[in-house]
Structure formats: C-alpha cells, structure tokens
Amino acid sequence: MWTLTGASTEYTVAARENRVDLVAWGPRGVSDGPSPYDFTGQVQYMLEADVAATEYSPDGLRRFLGADLAVAGEVLTLRLVDISEEDGLRAHLLDDRTGLAVTLRWRFAPGTDVIERWAVVRNGGDAPVALTRLGSAGFVVPTPVGSTLHYLWGQWSQEFTPASVRLTRGRFEIGSAQGVTGHQFAPYLAVENGVAAYGIQLAWTGSWQIVADADVAGLTRVRAGRQLAEGPVTLAPGGSVTTPVAAGAYSAEGVDGLARQWHAYERHLAGERLGRTRKVIYNSWEATTFDVTAAGQLALADVAASLGVETFVVDDGWFVGRHDDHAGLGDWTPDPAKFPDGFGAFAEAVRAKGLDFGLWVEPEMVNPKSALYAAHPDWVYQAESRPRTTIRNQYLLNLGRDDVYAFVRDTLDGLLSTYPISYLKWDFNRPRTEADRSVADLDGAHVANLYRILDHLRAAHPQVTVEGCAAGGGRVDLAMAARVDVVWPSDNTAPLDRLRIQHGFLSAHAPHLMSSWVTDSAGMFDERERSLAFRFVLASAGVLGIGADITRWPAATRAEAAEWVARYKGVREVIHRGVVHRIGDGAIQYTLDDRIAVLAWHTGGLDGLGRVPARDLRLPLRGLDPRARYEHGELSYSGSHLMAVGLPVRWTPAHDAELIDLHACGRPAQALI
Ligand code: GLA
C-alpha cells in the first residue's frame, strides 16, 4: 500500500496481482480503517477489474464496465511489473504480446489537495500499435446510494452553466470532439455522494471525454481522457505518448469546497506569474467592432486613461483586409489606411497616455480571402479531397505541421518584438471540422504545438500578459490555466447573464483568470438594465476590464467609473489571491489574511424596495475568526456575528450592488472561553 499526501487530504492505493486499486481518498487519516472499496461475495458473470476500484485498466481486464486503454485488433491485458516512489508514485505495467509498456503516475501538486494522474504509453515492440482508447486515469468514488453529478454546459454566449443530474446506476458522459475544449461542456465533473464531493478535471485543449459509470454494487468510476475523435493514435516501434493530466480533488464542503481546491491548484499552476498585478484593461471590441481607426482608438484611450485603466487593448479589425469577418485572417500586418502615421507611432501614442498597449490576434486561423491562404492553401485542415467547411468564414490552420507552427510562432514573435505590446489576446473562433485520418495523432500534434508556442511566449516575452479566448469561453481548461494569464469566459457581458456565467466559471476556475468587462447596459444579449455599480462590482469579481463605448459616457458616469476602478484596485489582490466562498447566487466572499472583500448583487425586482417594511439581507460569511472584530468604515462586527447572522446589506431601487472591504482588527483583549 502507498499513501500520497496533499495539503489536507490523502490518497492510498494498493498493488494487486495485475493492477493498482484505490484503497482510500479523503481527509488525512481516512486510510486508517477498512477500505470502502473492498467487496465481499463472488464476482459473477464479469471480471474482477469490473468490480474493483481499479485505478487504470486495459479493456481485456475490465471487459464490461469501461476501460481506460485499448488497442486495435486485439484485446489488451497488462501485468503489473513494479511500483516505485519517485516524484509521487509510479507503476509500471507491461503487455508481453505487443511490448506495450505503461507507466502510471500519481502526484499531489505541492501545497494543494489536487492529485495529478497521467499515463505514459510506450511501444516497446517491433510492430506499430494503434491505440483506440487512451484514458488518463479512473477515479473511483463510493456511492452506495447513488450520487449527484455536477457539470458545466453551455454554448456560445451561455458558457459555464451549472447543472446537475442524479446518477444511481448507468452512465453519464460529457466531452468534445471539436479538436478544442469547446463551449458545450467544461472538462469538469463533481461527484457528490451525500458525504463529500470529489472533483475531476482534464488538462487538455483538444478533444476529450469524461465518463461516469455507476455500477450496481455502489461505486462510481469516473474516466477522464482524450477522445480519439479522429481515429487511433498510432505508436511506431519505440514511440510513446503521454496522456494529459487528469486532476482529482476531494472536499468535505461540497461543490463550493471543491472550487476552493481548484482555485488553489490554478494559483499553483500560475506560479510566479500570480504575483504580477493583473492590470485593469480597456478592450475596444464592443465599442468599435471592426471599425478600427487610429483616431477612434486614441479617443477611447484618452477616456480610458482618465478612468484609471492601465492597459488599452485593440481588438479585431486592425490588420490589412479586415473590414468585417469575411477577410484578412492570416495577414497580420497593420492596415496603413487605418493607421496613417504607422502602427508603431499609434502604439506609442497609446503608451504616451500612461497606458500599456495590447493587441488581439487569432493566429491559428485564415480566411479564404487572404494573402496567406492564396500562398498556402495546403496549410488548412482538410479530409483528403472532401470539401472544406468554413465557420465564421474562416478555416483552421493545421498547427501540427512544422511550417504552420513556425509561421504562427514567428508571426507572434514579429509583432511582439516590432511593437511595444504588453498584452496579447489570443482568440480561436471555430472548431476543427475536417481532419485527415491518416495522420498518426492530429489532435495531439495541434495541441502540443499550441502549448509549445504559449510556453515560448512566456520564455521569450515574459513581460507580455496573454489572454486566452475562443469565441468567449471555448478554450478554458487546466492546461490553458497553466499557460495563459487570464481567460475570457464569454462574449456575453450582459449583467444578469454574466453573473450566472461567472458563478459557473468560479466552480472550476480561479478569479485571477476571470477577465470581465463593464459594458453598456442593456447588453448585446440580455436587455435587463442594471446600474453602473452592479456592472462594476460584477466585473470586479475577477480581473476588471471595461468594454463600453466610454466616449459616450457623460461626465458623471465617468466620475463614478473612476471611483469604482480605484476601489477595485484597492481590493484586487484579495480578489485574485483570496479564498473564495460563494454565498448563494448573489454574493462572493474573498478572504486573504486579515482582509475580506464581499461582492454582492441584487438580482430580483426593485419594486417597492425601501418603501415597504423589509429587513436587511444578511450574507453569512465563512471561515472567520469568531473572536476577532471586522471593520468596514465606521461599522464593526464580531466574526461570530458575521458567520452566524451575516453581514447586513440593504437594497434600494438605486442601490443594487455592494463591494465591502472588511479588515480584521485583532481579537478582544480577553479571550473567550
Ligand atoms: C470573438 C471574441 C470576441 C472578439 C471577436 C473579434 O468573438 O470572443 O471577444 O474578440 O471574436 O472578432
């Protein structure tokens, strides 16, 4: 038996004759007792690995209830060779017939409760092996009375919608076959069994699947891995493939507790880049769409600077041929007609206003109407001689090719070294539709080169903040969280829709990644009006930006906006690095050391508020010291009061949002007994 320990949890596995099984997963000490996965009685009408809490199984051993690894042309079995403790735990398994060698890995990310699991599959034989199934890991949860599965679904403009389903027996499956994480489902699942919550996420930016199988004997096994939507991954003799990391987390505090585990993990993934202040951005997309001109952008930049914005990002429409979404992608040269004094002079003019300069790109894409496509029609994905499909009038470049990889890397290097760019918004506005199935691992090649370029950008241009975007939140996963500084969760910035989207986003991802803009009300999607305060507090829940046409804002609105930007700057470290407790659907508490920021929104009707008898809304805070005092301006409360009764908030028709900055002021002189 081996026990791996995280910050407050542990994970114990045991070697069996030909496999590794889970013994316990939960808080420290949970392994000290009989395993909930052990079973009595005889295995009837199936194989032992179908019933056991197996960590990873080929299809020959787990024939009926879902296997993790399979090859074409034969049934695969593996035998356990050895287990060693090295950077966590490693188990070596071997198939003597094909020579396929599998190394399973387990490791807690340092300082967190997230266990990372993956497999390395190597072809040690002398004939090619075609993998038809390539899972990363199976996570087993005791579910004697079934479970509630929580997941996040969506589509463009509705990303990260939380939903749940009751699973007592049978199968639940989510995934993407789009060659990208996708809008439809986040690679995230939480299993609540009535006692605790277990979370699984997959760190992969291509096609993926997460499958939960609930057996009839009280276990739910969650398989996470790549979806081989374009056919098998073929390993030549000596070749190997490393699966993406499947990450698992345990929390006794339900889905909200799991969210805290994921946030801590993503802060770990951010590493030293978490320490950089995420600047307040202005993005011009909603104000100007494709109608980009130097004069128009500078007019916006003038106002942005006066509001306290720190980075000005020019979105789509700045390059040659780009007057709408029909042409131009691929030709990443600034349009001289739009920037008559030169793009460098324009960028310097933005910087002269005290703003950093940022730029939008979509480097994996090409419009048929572009010089790039005319020169390299063979660079786009194509299934043999079948027709090519455009989506948003564009094709996807085959980034897995060496020449395309070099083009994208060099294009970005060129832009970043020619112009004083501090912020890059990398967009991706269509999935893969055509793919040549004769390629050994098309999806893996695209994703690997995407990661190579993102890693290269960090090494070669460390000062540049990179934003990940894919028609909103179509490319958000743990692998991207490790490689970009912020992500754009959705194009939908309408206040009440956005509140729901952000709530779902924060179930799986951390606030320091969550870019959010204040836009004009009513929004492009949802016509319900909300106050400027509501929109600022909402966008302050992550990384604040502004996307409204601020040249049209009257002086009073600008003055109020400047105040909100200043208030946000005062609490942003707490928001980006604090522990998050979501209080219902309308409030979030962020706690960092002795500071607490509470953001709250009134989402209901405003009729009669303030005129008829009503009591203050109370927001019960979590995780405070009951004996300490917490102050907010003139007001002061005990921690006990704030947790047991709650922080009072009073809504009126003119007051529908709050940002409260509380400070702990030490304990009373006499300690309570
Ligand atoms: C996508 C992005 C938007 C914007 C447009 C530009 O839709 O999600 O934020 O950048 O592309 O074309």
Side-chain angles (χ1 to χ4, degrees), residues 183-226:
H183 293 81
Q184 277 74 30
F185 297 101
Y188 159 98
L189 191 72
V191 184
E192 255 190 313
N193 65 358
V195 181
Y198 300 78
I200 288 99
Q201 291 205 48
L202 188 72
W204 186 245
T205 311
S207 298
W208 60 273
Q209 65 183 161
I210 296 180
V211 183
D213 283 302
D215 71 12
V216 295
L219 292 189
T220 298
R221 186 169 189 273
V222 181
R223 271 186 285 133
R226 292 178 52 184

Short mmCIF file of all heavy atoms in Angstrom, two decimals, residues 183-226:
data_model
loop_
_atom_site.label_atom_id
_atom_site.label_comp_id
_atom_site.label_asym_id
_atom_site.label_seq_id
_atom_site.Cartn_x
_atom_site.Cartn_y
_atom_site.Cartn_z
N HIS A 183 -17.33 24.84 -26.19
CA HIS A 183 -18.31 25.59 -25.38
C HIS A 183 -19.33 24.66 -24.71
O HIS A 183 -19.97 25.05 -23.75
CB HIS A 183 -19.13 26.53 -26.27
CG HIS A 183 -18.37 27.66 -26.86
ND1 HIS A 183 -17.60 27.54 -27.99
CD2 HIS A 183 -18.27 28.96 -26.50
CE1 HIS A 183 -17.07 28.70 -28.29
NE2 HIS A 183 -17.46 29.59 -27.40
N GLN A 184 -19.52 23.46 -25.27
CA GLN A 184 -20.67 22.63 -24.85
C GLN A 184 -20.53 22.13 -23.41
O GLN A 184 -21.49 22.13 -22.66
CB GLN A 184 -20.87 21.44 -25.78
CG GLN A 184 -21.66 21.77 -27.04
CD GLN A 184 -20.86 22.58 -28.03
OE1 GLN A 184 -19.63 22.46 -28.08
NE2 GLN A 184 -21.52 23.42 -28.79
N PHE A 185 -19.35 21.68 -23.08
CA PHE A 185 -19.10 21.19 -21.72
C PHE A 185 -17.70 21.61 -21.29
O PHE A 185 -16.77 21.58 -22.10
CB PHE A 185 -19.18 19.65 -21.65
CG PHE A 185 -20.54 19.11 -21.99
CD1 PHE A 185 -20.78 18.58 -23.25
CD2 PHE A 185 -21.57 19.15 -21.06
CE1 PHE A 185 -22.04 18.09 -23.58
CE2 PHE A 185 -22.83 18.66 -21.38
CZ PHE A 185 -23.07 18.13 -22.64
N ALA A 186 -17.55 21.95 -20.02
CA ALA A 186 -16.21 22.14 -19.46
C ALA A 186 -15.68 20.77 -19.06
O ALA A 186 -16.46 19.92 -18.61
CB ALA A 186 -16.28 23.05 -18.24
N PRO A 187 -14.37 20.51 -19.21
CA PRO A 187 -13.81 19.22 -18.79
C PRO A 187 -13.72 19.14 -17.27
O PRO A 187 -12.64 19.14 -16.68
CB PRO A 187 -12.45 19.17 -19.46
CG PRO A 187 -12.12 20.57 -19.83
CD PRO A 187 -13.38 21.37 -19.85
N TYR A 188 -14.86 19.10 -16.65
CA TYR A 188 -15.03 19.23 -15.20
C TYR A 188 -16.21 18.37 -14.78
O TYR A 188 -17.25 18.39 -15.44
CB TYR A 188 -15.32 20.71 -14.88
CG TYR A 188 -16.00 20.97 -13.56
CD1 TYR A 188 -15.26 21.34 -12.44
CD2 TYR A 188 -17.38 20.86 -13.42
CE1 TYR A 188 -15.89 21.59 -11.22
CE2 TYR A 188 -18.00 21.10 -12.21
CZ TYR A 188 -17.25 21.46 -11.11
OH TYR A 188 -17.87 21.71 -9.92
N LEU A 189 -16.05 17.60 -13.72
CA LEU A 189 -17.18 16.86 -13.16
C LEU A 189 -16.99 16.78 -11.65
O LEU A 189 -15.86 16.61 -11.17
CB LEU A 189 -17.24 15.44 -13.75
CG LEU A 189 -18.53 14.67 -13.45
CD1 LEU A 189 -19.71 15.22 -14.24
CD2 LEU A 189 -18.35 13.18 -13.79
N ALA A 190 -18.09 16.92 -10.91
CA ALA A 190 -18.03 16.74 -9.46
C ALA A 190 -19.04 15.66 -9.09
O ALA A 190 -20.16 15.65 -9.60
CB ALA A 190 -18.35 18.05 -8.74
N VAL A 191 -18.61 14.76 -8.22
CA VAL A 191 -19.48 13.67 -7.77
C VAL A 191 -19.75 13.89 -6.29
O VAL A 191 -18.83 13.86 -5.47
CB VAL A 191 -18.77 12.30 -7.96
CG1 VAL A 191 -19.72 11.16 -7.57
CG2 VAL A 191 -18.26 12.12 -9.39
N GLU A 192 -21.00 14.12 -5.95
CA GLU A 192 -21.38 14.28 -4.53
C GLU A 192 -22.13 13.04 -4.09
O GLU A 192 -23.15 12.69 -4.69
CB GLU A 192 -22.28 15.51 -4.37
CG GLU A 192 -21.55 16.67 -3.76
CD GLU A 192 -22.48 17.80 -3.38
OE1 GLU A 192 -23.33 18.17 -4.20
OE2 GLU A 192 -22.34 18.30 -2.25
N ASN A 193 -21.62 12.40 -3.03
CA ASN A 193 -22.23 11.13 -2.62
C ASN A 193 -23.03 11.24 -1.34
O ASN A 193 -23.37 10.23 -0.72
CB ASN A 193 -21.15 10.04 -2.49
CG ASN A 193 -20.17 10.35 -1.37
OD1 ASN A 193 -20.26 11.38 -0.71
ND2 ASN A 193 -19.23 9.44 -1.16
N GLY A 194 -23.32 12.48 -0.92
CA GLY A 194 -24.08 12.67 0.32
C GLY A 194 -23.18 12.88 1.52
O GLY A 194 -23.62 13.33 2.56
N VAL A 195 -21.90 12.56 1.39
CA VAL A 195 -20.94 12.74 2.47
C VAL A 195 -19.92 13.81 2.09
O VAL A 195 -19.57 14.69 2.87
CB VAL A 195 -20.20 11.41 2.77
CG1 VAL A 195 -19.21 11.60 3.91
CG2 VAL A 195 -21.20 10.32 3.09
N ALA A 196 -19.44 13.74 0.85
CA ALA A 196 -18.38 14.65 0.41
C ALA A 196 -18.49 14.82 -1.10
O ALA A 196 -19.33 14.19 -1.76
CB ALA A 196 -17.01 14.07 0.78
N ALA A 197 -17.63 15.68 -1.62
CA ALA A 197 -17.61 15.91 -3.07
C ALA A 197 -16.22 15.57 -3.61
O ALA A 197 -15.20 15.85 -2.96
CB ALA A 197 -17.95 17.36 -3.38
N TYR A 198 -16.20 14.93 -4.77
CA TYR A 198 -14.97 14.54 -5.45
C TYR A 198 -14.99 15.20 -6.82
O TYR A 198 -15.99 15.07 -7.55
CB TYR A 198 -14.91 13.02 -5.61
CG TYR A 198 -14.94 12.24 -4.31
CD1 TYR A 198 -16.13 12.05 -3.62
CD2 TYR A 198 -13.77 11.71 -3.77
CE1 TYR A 198 -16.16 11.34 -2.43
CE2 TYR A 198 -13.79 11.00 -2.58
CZ TYR A 198 -14.99 10.81 -1.91
OH TYR A 198 -15.02 10.11 -0.73
N GLY A 199 -13.91 15.89 -7.16
CA GLY A 199 -13.89 16.62 -8.43
C GLY A 199 -12.85 16.07 -9.37
O GLY A 199 -11.79 15.59 -8.93
N ILE A 200 -13.15 16.11 -10.66
CA ILE A 200 -12.21 15.65 -11.68
C ILE A 200 -12.17 16.70 -12.79
O ILE A 200 -13.22 17.19 -13.23
CB ILE A 200 -12.64 14.27 -12.26
CG1 ILE A 200 -12.41 13.17 -11.23
CG2 ILE A 200 -11.84 13.92 -13.51
CD1 ILE A 200 -13.60 12.75 -10.46
N GLN A 201 -10.97 17.06 -13.22
CA GLN A 201 -10.82 17.93 -14.39
C GLN A 201 -9.73 17.34 -15.28
O GLN A 201 -8.79 16.70 -14.78
CB GLN A 201 -10.42 19.35 -13.99
CG GLN A 201 -11.51 20.12 -13.27
CD GLN A 201 -11.33 21.63 -13.43
OE1 GLN A 201 -11.12 22.13 -14.53
NE2 GLN A 201 -11.40 22.36 -12.32
N LEU A 202 -9.84 17.60 -16.56
CA LEU A 202 -8.83 17.12 -17.50
C LEU A 202 -8.08 18.32 -18.09
O LEU A 202 -8.70 19.25 -18.60
CB LEU A 202 -9.48 16.32 -18.63
CG LEU A 202 -8.48 15.63 -19.56
CD1 LEU A 202 -7.81 14.45 -18.85
CD2 LEU A 202 -9.13 15.17 -20.85
N ALA A 203 -6.75 18.25 -18.04
CA ALA A 203 -5.91 19.33 -18.56
C ALA A 203 -5.60 19.07 -20.03
O ALA A 203 -4.50 18.63 -20.38
CB ALA A 203 -4.63 19.43 -17.73
N TRP A 204 -6.58 19.32 -20.90
CA TRP A 204 -6.37 19.03 -22.32
C TRP A 204 -7.17 20.01 -23.16
O TRP A 204 -8.33 20.29 -22.86
CB TRP A 204 -6.81 17.60 -22.65
CG TRP A 204 -6.50 17.19 -24.05
CD1 TRP A 204 -7.41 16.89 -25.02
CD2 TRP A 204 -5.20 17.01 -24.64
NE1 TRP A 204 -6.76 16.53 -26.18
CE2 TRP A 204 -5.41 16.61 -25.98
CE3 TRP A 204 -3.89 17.18 -24.17
CZ2 TRP A 204 -4.35 16.36 -26.86
CZ3 TRP A 204 -2.84 16.93 -25.04
CH2 TRP A 204 -3.07 16.52 -26.36
N THR A 205 -6.55 20.50 -24.23
CA THR A 205 -7.14 21.55 -25.04
C THR A 205 -7.59 21.03 -26.40
O THR A 205 -7.90 21.80 -27.30
CB THR A 205 -6.12 22.72 -25.12
OG1 THR A 205 -5.68 23.00 -23.78
CG2 THR A 205 -6.73 23.98 -25.65
N GLY A 206 -7.61 19.69 -26.55
CA GLY A 206 -8.16 19.09 -27.77
C GLY A 206 -9.46 18.37 -27.46
O GLY A 206 -10.20 18.76 -26.55
N SER A 207 -9.74 17.29 -28.20
CA SER A 207 -10.97 16.53 -27.96
C SER A 207 -10.80 15.70 -26.69
O SER A 207 -9.72 15.16 -26.43
CB SER A 207 -11.25 15.60 -29.15
OG SER A 207 -11.46 16.38 -30.30
N TRP A 208 -11.88 15.56 -25.93
CA TRP A 208 -11.77 14.92 -24.61
C TRP A 208 -13.09 14.25 -24.25
O TRP A 208 -14.12 14.50 -24.87
CB TRP A 208 -11.41 15.96 -23.54
CG TRP A 208 -12.43 17.06 -23.42
CD1 TRP A 208 -12.47 18.21 -24.15
CD2 TRP A 208 -13.58 17.10 -22.56
NE1 TRP A 208 -13.56 18.98 -23.80
CE2 TRP A 208 -14.27 18.31 -22.82
CE3 TRP A 208 -14.10 16.25 -21.59
CZ2 TRP A 208 -15.43 18.69 -22.16
CZ3 TRP A 208 -15.26 16.62 -20.92
CH2 TRP A 208 -15.91 17.83 -21.21
N GLN A 209 -13.04 13.39 -23.23
CA GLN A 209 -14.27 12.85 -22.68
C GLN A 209 -14.10 12.55 -21.19
O GLN A 209 -13.01 12.20 -20.72
CB GLN A 209 -14.74 11.61 -23.42
CG GLN A 209 -13.84 10.43 -23.30
CD GLN A 209 -14.31 9.23 -24.12
OE1 GLN A 209 -13.53 8.34 -24.40
NE2 GLN A 209 -15.56 9.21 -24.52
N ILE A 210 -15.18 12.75 -20.48
CA ILE A 210 -15.25 12.35 -19.07
C ILE A 210 -16.51 11.50 -18.93
O ILE A 210 -17.60 11.93 -19.31
CB ILE A 210 -15.29 13.57 -18.12
CG1 ILE A 210 -13.98 14.36 -18.22
CG2 ILE A 210 -15.52 13.12 -16.69
CD1 ILE A 210 -13.90 15.60 -17.33
N VAL A 211 -16.33 10.28 -18.43
CA VAL A 211 -17.43 9.32 -18.36
C VAL A 211 -17.56 8.84 -16.92
O VAL A 211 -16.57 8.43 -16.31
CB VAL A 211 -17.14 8.09 -19.26
CG1 VAL A 211 -18.32 7.12 -19.23
CG2 VAL A 211 -16.82 8.52 -20.69
N ALA A 212 -18.78 8.92 -16.39
CA ALA A 212 -19.03 8.38 -15.04
C ALA A 212 -19.86 7.11 -15.19
O ALA A 212 -20.95 7.15 -15.78
CB ALA A 212 -19.76 9.40 -14.19
N ASP A 213 -19.34 6.00 -14.67
CA ASP A 213 -20.07 4.74 -14.67
C ASP A 213 -20.45 4.38 -13.24
O ASP A 213 -19.57 4.18 -12.40
CB ASP A 213 -19.17 3.61 -15.21
CG ASP A 213 -19.04 3.65 -16.71
OD1 ASP A 213 -20.07 3.58 -17.39
OD2 ASP A 213 -17.90 3.77 -17.21
N ALA A 214 -21.75 4.30 -12.98
CA ALA A 214 -22.21 3.89 -11.65
C ALA A 214 -22.58 2.41 -11.74
O ALA A 214 -23.47 2.05 -12.52
CB ALA A 214 -23.40 4.72 -11.21
N ASP A 215 -21.89 1.58 -10.97
CA ASP A 215 -22.19 0.15 -11.05
C ASP A 215 -23.35 -0.20 -10.12
O ASP A 215 -23.88 0.67 -9.41
CB ASP A 215 -20.92 -0.69 -10.81
CG ASP A 215 -20.44 -0.67 -9.37
OD1 ASP A 215 -21.19 -0.20 -8.48
OD2 ASP A 215 -19.31 -1.13 -9.12
N VAL A 216 -23.72 -1.46 -10.10
CA VAL A 216 -24.88 -1.83 -9.28
C VAL A 216 -24.47 -2.18 -7.85
O VAL A 216 -25.33 -2.47 -7.02
CB VAL A 216 -25.64 -3.03 -9.91
CG1 VAL A 216 -26.25 -2.62 -11.24
CG2 VAL A 216 -24.73 -4.24 -10.07
N ALA A 217 -23.16 -2.15 -7.58
CA ALA A 217 -22.69 -2.55 -6.25
C ALA A 217 -22.17 -1.37 -5.44
O ALA A 217 -21.48 -1.55 -4.44
CB ALA A 217 -21.60 -3.62 -6.39
N GLY A 218 -22.48 -0.11 -5.89
CA GLY A 218 -22.21 1.03 -5.03
C GLY A 218 -20.93 1.81 -5.30
O GLY A 218 -20.48 2.56 -4.45
N LEU A 219 -20.34 1.68 -6.49
CA LEU A 219 -19.19 2.50 -6.84
C LEU A 219 -19.50 3.31 -8.10
O LEU A 219 -20.19 2.82 -9.01
CB LEU A 219 -17.95 1.65 -7.16
CG LEU A 219 -17.28 0.87 -6.04
CD1 LEU A 219 -15.96 0.30 -6.55
CD2 LEU A 219 -17.03 1.74 -4.81
N THR A 220 -18.96 4.52 -8.14
CA THR A 220 -19.00 5.29 -9.39
C THR A 220 -17.56 5.52 -9.81
O THR A 220 -16.74 6.00 -9.02
CB THR A 220 -19.74 6.62 -9.19
OG1 THR A 220 -21.09 6.31 -8.82
CG2 THR A 220 -19.74 7.45 -10.47
N ARG A 221 -17.25 5.12 -11.04
CA ARG A 221 -15.89 5.28 -11.54
C ARG A 221 -15.92 6.33 -12.65
O ARG A 221 -16.68 6.21 -13.62
CB ARG A 221 -15.36 3.95 -12.08
CG ARG A 221 -13.90 4.00 -12.48
CD ARG A 221 -13.36 2.59 -12.75
NE ARG A 221 -11.92 2.61 -12.91
CZ ARG A 221 -11.32 2.85 -14.08
NH1 ARG A 221 -12.01 3.06 -15.17
NH2 ARG A 221 -9.98 2.87 -14.15
N VAL A 222 -15.08 7.35 -12.50
CA VAL A 222 -15.03 8.44 -13.48
C VAL A 222 -13.75 8.29 -14.30
O VAL A 222 -12.65 8.33 -13.75
CB VAL A 222 -15.06 9.82 -12.79
CG1 VAL A 222 -15.03 10.92 -13.84
CG2 VAL A 222 -16.31 9.95 -11.92
N ARG A 223 -13.93 8.09 -15.59
CA ARG A 223 -12.79 8.00 -16.50
C ARG A 223 -12.60 9.35 -17.17
O ARG A 223 -13.57 9.94 -17.67
CB ARG A 223 -13.09 7.01 -17.62
CG ARG A 223 -12.72 5.60 -17.34
CD ARG A 223 -12.93 4.77 -18.58
NE ARG A 223 -14.33 4.50 -18.83
CZ ARG A 223 -14.90 4.64 -20.01
NH1 ARG A 223 -14.23 5.08 -21.06
NH2 ARG A 223 -16.17 4.34 -20.17
N ALA A 224 -11.38 9.82 -17.22
CA ALA A 224 -11.11 11.09 -17.91
C ALA A 224 -9.97 10.88 -18.87
O ALA A 224 -8.98 10.21 -18.54
CB ALA A 224 -10.75 12.16 -16.89
N GLY A 225 -10.11 11.42 -20.07
CA GLY A 225 -9.02 11.27 -21.02
C GLY A 225 -9.33 11.93 -22.34
O GLY A 225 -10.38 12.55 -22.53
N ARG A 226 -8.39 11.79 -23.24
CA ARG A 226 -8.59 12.31 -24.58
C ARG A 226 -9.68 11.52 -25.29
O ARG A 226 -9.87 10.33 -25.04
CB ARG A 226 -7.28 12.18 -25.38
CG ARG A 226 -6.19 13.09 -24.86
CD ARG A 226 -4.91 12.91 -25.64
NE ARG A 226 -5.14 13.03 -27.07
CZ ARG A 226 -4.21 12.82 -28.01
NH1 ARG A 226 -2.98 12.49 -27.64
NH2 ARG A 226 -4.49 12.95 -29.27
#
